[in-house]
Amino acid sequence: MLRLGIKIKLMILVMAVALPLFAASLYHELEELNRARSAAQKWTLHQAHMISADVDTFLNGGEQILIALSENPAIKDQDWERCKAILSSLKMKYPYYENIFAIDREGWIHCSAVKQDKPAYAGDRSYFQKVMKSGRFTLGDVQIGRITKKPVVVIAYPVRDSSGSQIGMVGSAVSLLRLQELFNHLELTGNAAVTLLDRKGRIIASTAEPETDVLKDVSEESWFKEIVKNGSGIFE
């Protein structure tokens, strides 16, 4: 018969008592982890919905401004000197906009709130092509403004003459550096951060990234590909 020393017997006794306690503790920790993960997922989804609503509200407000401008006599008559004075005054009231401008049907910016030495061409920009094709309010791609030289996204609306023919468009260049201010009311805790991306995987605004990372391309990141693949949801 195998005889065990007193130390070994005590060790076996301790293990016999400790293992159930360890198992119970591990179970408790896993339960806490699952609860924490579930809470984090709910918080993330809630914040995402809030940000989405804020962006929609911001864009809807911009659309209303452009609709009013499209009916302004100076813009409808393409009186560019009067137009410049109107847009320059308007821009001071809306710091989110790097520029407000009017374009003719050929794609030339003749009227800009930001001073320009000569008309700038925007006929190749996505927002111009979308508006001229659809005749509706549109949101362009993230880009560097040709007049402001700053990262912006343009919202645009068609301008029509008295007969209803489309003669151009009005647009606002939304500052990506100022867009981050939409996140200021969010209650972020710990190391939480919010990053807004465009559909091409470029950073539009972020509470974590420096301003120099605006327009940074993260389209090759696995998490971004997962978001694009699934369309919506929570990803770890």
Side-chain angles (χ1 to χ4, degrees):
M1 181 177 180
L2 180 63
R3 295 185 177 182
L4 301 177
I6 186 65
K7 291 183 178 180
I8 296 177
K9 290 180 179 179
L10 288 175
M11 186 178 297
I12 292 174
L13 179 62
V14 169
M15 290 178 64
V17 174
L19 281 175
L21 293 176
F22 175 75
S25 177
L26 181 60
Y27 177 79
H28 177 72
E29 291 296 329
L30 290 175
E31 285 291 299
E32 286 294 317
L33 180 61
N34 287 332
R35 280 194 288 270
R37 178 181 285 111
S38 177
Q41 290 176 344
K42 290 179 181 179
W43 180 88
T44 300
L45 194 59
H46 175 67
Q47 297 298 323
H49 287 160
M50 287 182 61
I51 294 168
S52 179
D54 287 343
V55 172
D56 284 344
T57 299
F58 178 77
L59 293 178
N60 289 337
E63 181 180 6
Q64 296 307 309
I65 293 173
L66 295 183
I67 290 175
L69 281 177
S70 72
E71 295 298 325
N72 187 283
I75 294 175
K76 292 177 74 73
D77 296 340
Q78 296 190 339
D79 184 338
W80 303 129
E81 291 305 315
R82 286 173 56 205
C83 173
K84 290 175 186 177
I86 291 170
L87 297 190
S88 295
S89 175
L90 186 63
K91 181 180 179 298
M92 291 188 290
K93 300 178 182 179
Y94 298 98
Y96 279 107
Y97 300 131
E98 289 290 351
N99 197 12
I100 306 173
F101 51 87
I103 306 178
D104 66 17
R105 61 161 60 96
E106 303 301 326
W108 289 97
I109 302 176
H110 291 279
C111 173
S112 168
V114 175
K115 185 178 180 181
Q116 55 180 359
D117 297 328
K118 58 182 180 180
Y121 186 66
D124 59 339
R125 293 297 204 183
S126 63
Y127 63 83
F128 176 81
Q129 295 171 356
K130 289 177 183 177
V131 169
M132 296 306 290
K133 182 178 181 179
S134 68
R136 299 193 300 268
F137 173 79
T138 192
L139 175 68
D141 294 329
V142 176
Q143 62 193 36
I144 299 296
R146 286 182 176 155
I147 297 176
T148 64
K149 309 300 181 185
K150 296 179 180 180
V152 297
V153 59
V154 172
I155 55 176
Y157 192 84
V159 175
R160 295 183 171 86
D161 61 19
S162 56
S163 66
S165 298
Q166 194 167 325
I167 58 174
M169 53 151 283
V170 286
S172 298
V174 180
S175 168
L176 299 191
L177 301 181
R178 295 296 298 270
L179 195 60
Q180 183 174 313
E181 294 178 13
L182 289 177
F183 305 153
N184 287 347
H185 71 287
L186 299 176
E187 296 180 359
L188 302 180
T189 59
N191 60 351
V194 174
T195 299
L196 184 64
L197 307 170
D198 70 2
R199 60 178 175 268
K200 294 182 179 180
R202 294 175 296 180
I203 294 176
I204 295 177
S206 175
T207 60
E209 303 292 341
E211 290 184 354
T212 53
D213 278 350
V214 170
L215 294 184
K216 177 182 176 182
D217 189 342
V218 296
S219 59
E220 294 303 314
E221 297 287 346
S222 59
W223 53 266
F224 179 77
K225 292 180 178 179
E226 188 73 11
I227 291 173
V228 172
K229 178 182 176 182
N230 291 279
S232 63
I234 300 295
F235 311 100
E236 290 187 31

